[in-house]
């Protein structure tokens, strides 16, 4: 699992959904900060096998498995279906999102404005 920050906010991604990680320089990635109405910005980009990309501020690898706590249906709908649930890591809840669905959700936020 990858634990990431978007501004002061936390997000988790399944590591197997990430085909590569690159720097944000020269990448056309949707910033995860958009989901929290924070100005865009990223230092790392998570790229899926299909080419979708999400920019995050920081990331770290969490090798230990953690149980998935269910997400309320209203939160799943509000996230465009990208929220898969929550994991408790380091004493904090981390929303676990699907990389491809989250990237699609972020792009939709820009198109809606």
């Amino acid at each position: 699992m990858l634990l990431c920050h978007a501004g002061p906010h936390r997000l988790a991604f399944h590591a197997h959904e990430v085909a590569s990680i690159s720097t944000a320089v020269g990448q056309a990635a949707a910033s995860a900060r958009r989901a929290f109405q924070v100005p865009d910005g990223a230092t790392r980009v998570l790229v899926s096998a299909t080419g979708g990309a999400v920019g995050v501020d920081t990331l770290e690898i969490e090798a230990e498995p953690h149980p998935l706590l269910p997400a309320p249906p209203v939160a799943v709908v509000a996230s465009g279906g990208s929220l898969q649930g929550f994991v408790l890591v380091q004493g904090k809840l981390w929303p676990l999102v699907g990389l491809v669905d989250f990237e699609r959700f972020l792009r939709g936020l820009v198109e809606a404005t």
Side-chain angles (χ1 to χ4, degrees), residues 3-62:
L3 304 177
C4 302
H5 282 95
H9 306 282
R10 296 181 299 275
L11 290 167
F13 297 89
H14 289 290
H16 70 269
E17 293 182 337
V18 180
S20 66
I21 300 169
S22 65
T23 63
V25 177
Q27 289 281 344
S31 174
R33 289 174 168 218
R34 292 180 191 168
F36 305 101
Q37 299 178 342
V38 178
D40 281 0
T43 58
R44 298 279 186 243
V45 175
L46 310 178
V47 182
S48 71
T50 59
V54 173
V56 297
D57 295 339
T58 64
L59 67 92
E60 65 181 271
I61 297 170
E62 174 63 33

Side-chain angles (χ1 to χ4, degrees), residues 22-111:
S22 65
T23 63
V25 177
Q27 289 281 344
S31 174
R33 289 174 168 218
R34 292 180 191 168
F36 305 101
Q37 299 178 342
V38 178
D40 281 0
T43 58
R44 298 279 186 243
V45 175
L46 310 178
V47 182
S48 71
T50 59
V54 173
V56 297
D57 295 339
T58 64
L59 67 92
E60 65 181 271
I61 297 170
E62 174 63 33
E64 297 297 318
H66 297 278
L68 183 62
L69 306 169
V74 68
V76 174
V77 171
S79 71
S82 64
L83 180 63
Q84 298 176 354
F86 295 89
V87 290
L88 184 62
V89 182
Q90 303 168 354
K92 299 175 184 169
L93 276 179
W94 295 74
L96 179 68
V97 293
L99 181 59
V100 172
D101 292 334
F102 190 59
E103 189 261 349
R104 190 175 306 120
F105 168 71
L106 294 171
R107 296 238 183 253
L109 291 177
V110 171
E111 293 167 4

